[in-house]
Amino acid sequence: LRHPTLAGCQLGDEQREDDVVTLSLSCGNDTNGTALWRVGSSVLQGTLTVKLGGKNMTFFQRLTAKRLGRCPAG
């Protein structure tokens, strides 16, 4: 959310079902979207979908991460 296009945007309304986490994206300027994460035991896959307000344009970004180990305590 650090890209200038997404300035002022926030993720919220977290919903979980099995290994899927969904968050809504709200920007206050008619730009909105969703972030969807699939959390596996060794791989995380995420897709951020954004519909730009006032424009007829939707874009998305996909990420895949491999779990390298346990997170440090604290």
Side-chain angles (χ1 to χ4, degrees):
L1 299 180
R2 293 184 182 159
H3 191 277
T5 303
L6 301 175
C9 295
Q10 295 182 0
L11 292 170
D13 297 327
E14 180 179 313
Q15 297 181 18
R16 293 177 181 249
E17 186 173 329
D18 298 323
D19 65 345
V20 177
V21 179
T22 305
L23 300 145
S24 64
L25 177 74
S26 176
C27 300
N29 58 359
D30 294 331
T31 296
N32 56 51
T34 59
L36 185 135
W37 284 99
R38 294 187 189 281
V39 183
S41 61
S42 62
V43 175
L44 300 163
Q45 295 177 318
T47 303
L48 176 65
T49 304
V50 180
K51 183 172 192 294
L52 296 175
K55 300 182 181 188
N56 190 17
M57 183 177 2
T58 299
F59 70 89
F60 66 93
Q61 179 180 20
R62 289 192 178 135
L63 300 166
T64 300
K66 181 179 177 183
R67 191 177 307 268
L68 298 177
R70 296 185 63 85
C71 294

